[in-house]
Amino acid sequence: MTRTRLFRSRSSEEKEEEEEEQRQHYSKHNITSSTGMRVIVPLQGVVQGRGGLFLGSVIPCALFYFFQLYLKRHRSQPNPPPPQPPPENSEGQLAEVSVSALPRSLSRVHLSPRSPGGPAYVSGRANSIVKGGDLPHDVGLRKALEDPYHQSGNPDGVIQLGLAENKLSLDLVGEWLAKSAIYVEELSIGGIASYQPFDGLMELKVAVAGFMSQVMKKSVFFNPSQIILTAGATPAIEMLSFCLADTGNAFLVPTPYYPCFDRDVKWRTGVEIIPVPCRSADNFSLSITALDRAFKQAKKRGTKVRGIIISNPSNPVGGLLDRETLYSLLDFAREKNIHIVSNELFAGSTHGNEEFVSMAEIIDLEDLDRNRVHIVYGLSKDLSLPGFRVGIIYSFNDNVLAAAKKLTRFSSISALSQRLLVFMLSDSNFIQQFIEINRERLRRMYIKFVAGLKQLGIECIKSHGGFYCWADMRGYIPSYSEKGELELWDKLLNIAKVNVTPGSCCHCIEPGWFRFCFTTLTEKDIPVVMDRIRKITETCKSHS
Amino acid sequence: MAIEIEQPSVGLSKVAVSDTHGEDSPYFAGWKAYDENPYDELNNPSGVIQMGLAENQVSFDLLEAFLETHSEASSWGKGAPGFRENALFQDYHGLLSFRKAMASFMEQIRGGRAKFDPERVVLTAGATAANELLTFILADPGDALLVPTPYYPGFDRDLRWRTGVKIVPIHCDSSNNFQITPQALEAAYSEAEAMNIKVRGVLITNPSNPLGVTIQRSVLEEIFDFVTRKNIHLVSDEIYSGSVFSSSEFISIAEILEARQYKNSERVHIVYSLSKDLGLPGFRVGTIYSYNDKVVTTARRMSSFTLISSQTQYLLASMLSNKEFTENYIKTNRERLRKRYNMIIEGLRSAGIECLKGNAGLFCWMNLSPLLEKPTREGELTLWNSMLHEVKLNISPGSSCHCSEPGWFRVCFANMSEQTLEVALKRIHTFMEKRERVRNLISSQ
């Protein structure tokens, strides 16, 4: 296997560095809200609207059915099934962890001084969040929630294009659930009430391994004993951050990136993210040169880089990493002796013609490099499963698996949901059908949406997977700056009543790019969306 | 040919390699022994009986009965208010109906003596997550929480591991039945100060694990006055509040606050869970109830890392908002636990073993100090080993709970059938008789 390095042509390095310095964290934009506490952060698997009522009745019914059946079977046993404690290694005593050397890198704002009569101290972590104000992300979501668009019921409401929910194939899940009652008898359900292994039931790991393989078109075999299950990809990412880096260390993350990485990777861990800018000139594709430069700069500053976090398919751009790039990444990681975290959450939501290649496929089984590769996955996007909270860490590193397994006690999946999922994932006909139909619907919607934007004169980067379009609206921002971008965002939200995600939330180095999620719409909604956007674009053509 | 250079293996974090997960202690080693040789009435009657796991299986049938009579309830129909607003909505606020149900359930457990506002209920995947989350919010790495000993072994991990926060023990001993005294509180605080460690709060478990006793009103008042004086937080872990044998004996910190018209209450936070009282640890349901707005806001956002599946919330919302069911459940569960407790106390007493007088929980605090060869931790562990490998009972040694006096053990009684409990008691009897015979033999020579 030949592994070649890719060298991108360098262009205006100085400008880039300058821009990087300008790129402050988005929290500097203190957009205050009037409604205090009710701020909502996007979560995977959130579903509202059409599918909700139906699924809202069927899923709980199915669950009741399951629980009943379980209880019936349970009653016939003489003793309750033995509880499963977390079995761990034998020898050794409790060791004191030395925390005195931990640098305090958590608080970005002044902590309120403790005064005898004043309120009790709250940690830097808590303060930084509460004082940070409301980010565009949160404001937009809140408005969309308070005033949601509905075709007939609320035609002037806010259209939600900022939240990665896939409603396109909810009906398929609903149908399956309605039919599933018939097959319940064949299933043996045991012990969902009592303590289960915190890192997930083995049956679910097996089912998930099979699903991951199916979703990636059987190009990889996933070993269930290398799987850790946890309550969503959010804790999965955080857990890896805890395991692979110490407070004050850093991960290199290509920009633009998923806005919530800042929370997942940095918040409680004290680990930093060093953004590695990708540029529109390269279609925002990853450059090893940029990674290398970022690594060297970090070293000069005395910051230890522990790994790279890539998303493939990427969010927000929707690009896929090809084999060559993956090999180059591995070369790079090997050379620097760091980890690679590959976030493959949208692997099953590819809709283009390009092939998705998992990092797992690249790893040669005999190679020592296995120890540095960790994959994050989940069922919220690809299986369109609302609210189940299923995240996966797939690692080739036994020590990481052992540590992560212990950490799952803080974020375990409800045994009730696990049982239902085992059942669903084992229905391979349904799963196969679902994956295919879902892909097809994604593709259709993507094509229509992009075409709609194109008619308005808005181009998107060609995306091959995920729920988003990464749109070039540089022609419509009043000034080529973050401020200008946010002004356009504001107009889109408050005048056009369309909630989209501004590129600055994703740490995009170039202002004027916006992320549109198209999977919450029906085809009928598209003209409505385009009309509304047109209202803004017609009045906003920049005068440059 | 080039000489191969060995790559140093890629490193992991301190968190990943530290022992602070605490799973190498005897507390967990006993479970391993149980795992390898679990007791089964029919198939393995000489296996290890698990008495180290605080799980409640005595009221399972009540849950079963509820679901049998309510599975087709119209509350799931399209007309119901419950899910129309938020069907399957996975928001870190959690389902309103579920929060309401939790708040009302918590009120019922306290006999209506305290009110709970659903807007202050933050949901987490288990009390383990709730305790860790609160620690992240109330303290910075290097700070400390004061925790009365003996305490739940899991705290060493839950409060310290990822947070980097320390635990400074508040020493309690048998001279006053392990109650927390103002002197002990002050001593712990001074100890921390002397080590230059900032104390951020006190964490109490009420009813106590492993003691199985509720904290008295006067002691709660003293603790609350103490934290107010020091301007620090108070976390009250009340996960066993529904497992008190007599309803009148449990006083929640919420009642203290209400009596004081909520003055200074913004420093108080209650942790609750359905794992013990409702016997549903597999569902991963915990809550933080905080009287501090900032803490509620932050905890909500932080709960993104530990959300409860919406399906589980739905199921439990229906169950817990059914007042008839919950009233009956709470009452019956209490009675059964009390009966179990009496059974084990009697059984132990007739074997010559005394326990701390308990009134709550899924376990009793057993005094085996007369049996120790040496009144030391090693002596205790030797005895613990005999209990595990000879008597084949997995019980938890007091040293895992940081008890300052050797010889105490926590014995769980609610995670098994009555028959199994009898078998366990018989084994203890036999063990004690044998020791008595050996002692008599020695003393007669």
Side-chain angles (χ1 to χ4, degrees):
Chain A
M1 242 180 321
T2 51
R3 297 172 188 193
T4 54
R5 267 185 215 282
L6 291 171
F7 287 99
R8 297 279 168 202
S9 55
R10 300 173 189 236
S11 52
S12 27
E13 260 178 71
E14 275 89 15
K15 181 162 183 261
E16 212 168 65
E17 268 176 272
E18 211 177 60
E19 279 173 342
E20 254 175 60
E21 247 126 37
Q22 275 179 7
R23 282 258 141 240
Q24 296 302 310
H25 196 275
Y26 60 61
S27 67
K28 88 174 179 185
H29 298 288
N30 282 321
I31 300 170
T32 51
S33 81
S34 51
T35 50
M37 272 167 53
R38 191 154 162 71
V39 175
I40 300 170
V41 169
L43 300 166
Q44 293 115 11
V46 175
V47 175
Q48 277 179 311
R50 300 183 323 281
L53 279 177
F54 175 62
L55 287 174
S57 51
V58 171
I59 288 184
C61 272
L63 284 171
F64 267 129
Y65 203 117
F66 274 106
F67 202 12
Q68 265 193 283
L69 183 75
Y70 154 65
L71 290 170
K72 278 202 176 72
R73 300 207 172 196
H74 179 95
R75 200 166 33 184
S76 63
Q77 294 166 10
N79 273 329
Q84 307 227 30
E88 278 314 324
N89 313 315
S90 42
E91 282 88 43
Q93 307 293 324
L94 277 175
E96 271 298 318
V97 72
S98 83
V99 293
S100 46
L102 286 173
R104 283 172 57 144
S105 55
L106 297 168
S107 38
R108 295 192 287 270
V109 288
H110 263 302
L111 305 175
S112 45
R114 263 177 57 183
S115 58
Y121 175 85
V122 173
S123 75
R125 293 177 196 86
N127 265 320
S128 66
I129 279 298
V130 177
K131 284 198 175 161
D134 278 324
L135 315 159
H137 210 48
D138 304 320
V139 172
L141 287 171
R142 188 173 62 248
K143 295 226 160 149
L145 211 71
E146 289 167 357
D147 181 19
Y149 166 79
H150 187 268
Q151 207 196 348
S152 45
N154 188 18
D156 295 324
V158 176
I159 299 183
Q160 174 65 289
L161 299 181
L163 191 58
E165 305 171 347
N166 181 3
K167 295 185 185 171
L168 303 179
S169 309
L170 267 184
D171 57 317
L172 299 178
V173 175
E175 274 165 30
W176 183 88
L177 284 166
K179 283 191 314 197
S180 70
I182 310 170
Y183 301 107
V184 157
E185 284 301 320
E186 297 166 16
L187 187 68
S188 104
I189 314 167
I192 45 173
S194 49
Y195 281 104
Q196 307 298 325
F198 285 120
D199 63 324
L201 302 171
M202 184 42 91
E203 301 96 306
L204 185 53
K205 290 187 186 182
V206 170
V208 161
F211 178 70
M212 285 168 80
S213 188
Q214 248 186 310
V215 133
M216 298 182 196
K217 303 191 177 152
K218 308 265 166 87
S219 56
V220 200
F221 159 74
F222 288 94
N223 183 348
S225 38
Q226 285 171 244
I227 288 179
I228 298 287
L229 296 175
T230 185
T234 297
I237 303 233
E238 197 201 31
M239 272 161 56
L240 281 174
S241 187
F242 267 118
C243 288
L244 307 178
D246 292 317
T247 302
N249 294 160
F251 286 101
L252 300 176
V253 186
T255 70
Y257 61 72
Y258 163 57
C260 294
F261 270 163
D262 289 319
R263 173 197 63 193
D264 300 347
V265 175
K266 306 189 333 177
W267 189 13
R268 305 193 298 182
T269 61
V271 172
E272 286 177 32
I273 288 182
I274 295 175
V276 180
C278 303
R279 317 181 64 73
S280 58
D282 306 322
N283 280 330
F284 294 99
S285 57
L286 180 57
S287 130
I288 301 293
T289 317
L291 275 177
D292 197 41
R293 186 180 318 126
F295 186 90
K296 290 199 169 82
Q297 281 170 351
K299 198 162 172 195
K300 254 192 263 168
R301 280 200 314 267
T303 300
K304 189 154 186 232
V305 170
R306 300 303 288 259
I308 310 163
I309 303 177
I310 53 168
S311 296
N312 179 27
S314 71
N315 170 4
V317 178
L320 294 178
L321 295 174
D322 62 18
R323 256 174 236 281
E324 252 183 298
T325 312
L326 292 174
Y327 282 131
S328 305
L329 272 168
L330 202 49
D331 282 348
F332 179 79
R334 184 187 311 119
E335 185 195 305
K336 311 293 187 201
N337 195 21
I338 57 179
H339 295 273
I340 297 179
V341 174
S342 180
N343 171 21
E344 303 185 353
L345 202 57
F346 290 96
S349 300
T350 50
H351 50 69
N353 295 322
E354 272 192 29
E355 177 203 29
F356 169 76
V357 181
S358 167
M359 202 69 205
E361 207 187 314
I362 300 299
I363 293 296
D364 180 25
L365 283 173
E366 312 306 319
D367 208 326
L368 279 175
D369 269 350
R370 294 163 62 202
N371 278 335
R372 65 179 83 256
V373 172
H374 323 280
I375 294 171
V376 171
Y377 189 62
L379 298 185
S380 304
K381 310 293 185 190
D382 286 351
L383 205 48
S384 202
L385 276 184
F388 270 78
R389 313 307 307 143
V390 179
I392 290 121
I393 292 178
Y394 188 79
S395 177
F396 297 85
N397 185 321
D398 288 336
N399 292 326
V400 170
L401 287 173
K405 186 173 174 170
K406 297 190 181 90
L407 286 175
T408 52
R409 66 185 318 101
F410 299 111
S411 52
S412 281
I413 309 171
S414 162
L416 196 57
S417 305
Q418 290 194 55
R419 284 288 169 198
L420 185 58
L421 278 170
V422 169
F423 199 40
M424 187 186 283
L425 293 175
S426 309
D427 187 343
S428 43
N429 278 335
F430 163 71
I431 294 294
Q432 191 55 42
Q433 235 196 346
F434 178 91
I435 294 172
E436 279 168 16
I437 298 180
N438 184 46
R439 271 210 174 99
E440 184 46 47
R441 291 180 181 176
L442 274 173
R443 203 176 67 85
R444 267 209 326 260
M445 190 64 71
Y446 170 75
I447 289 172
K448 282 206 152 69
F449 195 85
V450 168
L453 285 177
K454 195 174 173 132
Q455 278 188 340
L456 299 178
I458 299 171
E459 295 286 340
C460 297
I461 298 284
K462 181 124 181 59
S463 144
H464 305 278
F467 300 167
Y468 312 103
C469 297
W470 185 236
D472 182 358
M473 301 191 71
R474 289 178 292 182
Y476 304 100
I477 52 179
S479 60
Y480 189 71
S481 62
E482 209 173 312
K483 183 163 173 287
E485 179 184 283
L486 287 172
E487 279 178 36
L488 176 58
W489 168 79
D490 190 75
K491 287 208 177 82
L492 284 167
L493 180 62
N494 292 308
I495 302 174
K497 309 275 271 298
V498 175
N499 180 39
V500 298
T501 310
S504 48
C505 284
C506 307
H507 300 271
C508 184
I509 203 171
E510 299 173 24
W513 291 84
F514 285 79
R515 186 188 76 171
F516 290 74
C517 174
F518 56 81
T519 55
T520 54
L521 307 170
T522 63
E523 290 185 27
K524 279 189 299 206
D525 297 326
I526 295 185
V528 178
V529 172
M530 298 308 157
D531 265 338
R532 293 200 188 179
I533 298 177
R534 181 179 297 117
K535 264 197 302 209
I536 303 299
T537 55
E538 272 171 1
T539 57
C540 268
K541 277 212 144 56
S542 68
H543 304 294
S544 47
Chain B
M1 183 156 129
I3 299 170
E4 296 275 16
I5 298 175
E6 275 247 330
Q7 264 275 33
S9 67
V10 64
L12 298 188
S13 68
K14 296 195 187 83
V15 166
V17 302
S18 86
D19 288 340
T20 320
H21 52 75
E23 291 186 15
D24 303 328
S25 80
Y27 184 72
F28 298 102
W31 288 4
K32 196 160 157 264
Y34 164 78
D35 232 14
E36 289 164 2
N37 181 19
Y39 169 83
D40 183 279
E41 199 184 343
L42 296 172
N43 303 323
N44 191 14
S46 61
V48 175
I49 297 181
Q50 172 65 290
M51 304 187 90
L53 179 61
E55 203 179 59
N56 181 4
Q57 292 176 6
V58 307
S59 305
F60 198 69
D61 58 314
L62 300 180
L63 297 172
E64 191 180 27
F66 174 83
L67 288 162
E68 271 179 13
T69 51
H70 291 80
S71 62
E72 267 83 40
S74 60
S75 51
W76 300 110
K78 282 191 178 175
F83 66 79
R84 184 184 290 279
E85 44 188 1
N86 283 317
L88 302 166
F89 188 57
Q90 192 58 43
D91 168 13
Y92 63 29
H93 284 76
L95 283 181
L96 181 59
S97 55
F98 181 51
R99 281 185 283 128
K100 281 186 170 148
M102 277 298 271
S104 104
F105 187 62
M106 285 167 76
E107 281 173 11
Q108 267 189 295
I109 285 177
R110 289 156 184 75
R113 297 186 296 270
K115 295 226 86 43
F116 290 96
D117 175 4
E119 293 303 322
R120 295 195 169 281
V121 172
V122 177
L123 300 173
T124 62
T128 298
N131 280 319
E132 194 203 32
L133 215 134
L134 272 175
T135 307
F136 267 121
I137 292 175
L138 305 179
D140 287 318
D143 294 343
L145 293 177
L146 305 182
V147 184
T149 66
Y151 61 75
Y152 163 55
F155 279 161
D156 287 322
R157 169 197 56 216
D158 300 347
L159 307 180
R160 302 186 319 162
W161 189 12
R162 296 196 290 189
T163 61
V165 170
K166 300 186 205 277
I167 293 178
V168 172
I170 301 168
H171 296 288
C172 305
D173 58 69
S174 57
S175 63
N176 69 341
N177 291 325
F178 296 97
Q179 287 183 80
I180 303 163
T181 65
Q183 296 81 358
L185 285 165
E186 288 287 351
Y189 192 89
S190 308
E191 187 188 326
E193 268 190 321
M195 292 191 284
N196 249 321
I197 298 172
K198 276 208 173 72
V199 175
R200 294 300 185 193
V202 172
L203 190 145
I204 56 174
T205 308
N206 179 27
S208 156
N209 173 8
L211 301 176
V213 182
T214 55
I215 301 184
Q216 292 181 15
R217 181 183 290 273
S218 55
V219 178
L220 282 176
E221 306 259 14
E222 279 164 0
I223 297 172
F224 184 61
D225 289 336
F226 174 78
V227 300
T228 307
R229 258 197 331 272
K230 304 290 189 194
N231 193 21
I232 57 179
H233 293 274
L234 176 59
V235 176
S236 181
D237 182 342
E238 303 188 350
I239 65 174
Y240 293 99
S241 48
S243 304
V244 185
F245 308 149
S246 153
S247 73
S248 55
E249 291 186 28
F250 172 63
I251 316 264
S252 163
I253 191 72
E255 294 173 54
I256 307 284
L257 295 178
E258 204 162 289
R260 298 186 184 205
Q261 278 109 33
Y262 298 104
K263 191 155 173 283
N264 283 311
S265 62
E266 76 284 345
R267 64 188 70 258
V268 178
H269 325 278
I270 297 176
V271 169
Y272 189 58
S273 149
L274 297 181
S275 301
K276 311 296 181 183
D277 289 347
L278 219 53
L280 293 174
F283 282 26
R284 313 311 306 140
V285 178
T287 78
I288 295 172
Y289 188 90
S290 175
Y291 295 89
N292 182 317
D293 289 348
K294 217 184 206 179
V295 173
V296 171
T297 307
T298 312
R300 276 242 167 81
R301 296 193 193 195
M302 223 183 247
S303 69
S304 303
F305 296 111
T306 181
L307 294 173
I308 305 175
S309 103
S310 54
Q311 291 74 20
T312 304
Q313 293 187 46
Y314 261 119
L315 190 87
L316 294 172
S318 159
M319 191 186 282
L320 294 184
S321 49
N322 185 316
K323 286 267 163 53
E324 200 186 308
F325 167 75
T326 51
E327 258 177 50
N328 180 46
Y329 182 92
I330 293 171
K331 196 170 64 118
T332 312
N333 185 45
R334 276 203 180 111
E335 278 165 23
R336 290 182 185 178
L337 286 174
R338 183 177 51 229
K339 190 162 155 241
R340 246 346 142 84
Y341 173 77
N342 288 333
M343 184 178 155
I344 194 175
I345 292 298
E346 263 317 299
L348 289 174
R349 187 168 291 146
S350 64
I353 298 174
E354 288 300 322
C355 296
L356 183 72
K357 176 129 177 55
N359 64 349
L362 310 176
F363 32 72
C364 59
W365 189 233
M366 183 169 73
N367 185 6
L368 291 182
S369 53
L371 278 73
L372 294 184
E373 281 173 25
K374 279 180 286 190
T376 60
R377 188 160 175 269
E378 286 69 33
E380 179 185 283
L381 288 175
T382 308
L383 181 57
W384 170 75
N385 247 303
S386 314
M387 292 300 281
L388 182 60
H389 294 110
E390 290 171 31
V391 190
K392 302 267 182 47
L393 296 180
N394 180 35
I395 57 181
S396 311
S399 46
S400 313
C401 307
H402 300 272
C403 185
S404 45
E405 295 174 21
W408 291 86
F409 291 80
R410 187 192 78 167
V411 186
C412 299
F413 54 73
N415 61 313
M416 61 190 73
S417 66
E418 272 188 30
Q419 293 89 330
T420 309
L421 183 55
E422 273 172 26
V423 172
L425 288 170
K426 215 172 291 170
R427 289 187 190 179
I428 294 178
H429 232 273
T430 313
F431 171 73
M432 291 298 282
E433 275 176 3
K434 206 165 67 174
R435 283 187 84 110
E436 188 65 26
R437 275 203 306 276
V438 168
R439 253 218 328 236
N440 287 339
L441 209 64
I442 293 174
S443 65
S444 69
Q445 285 173 343

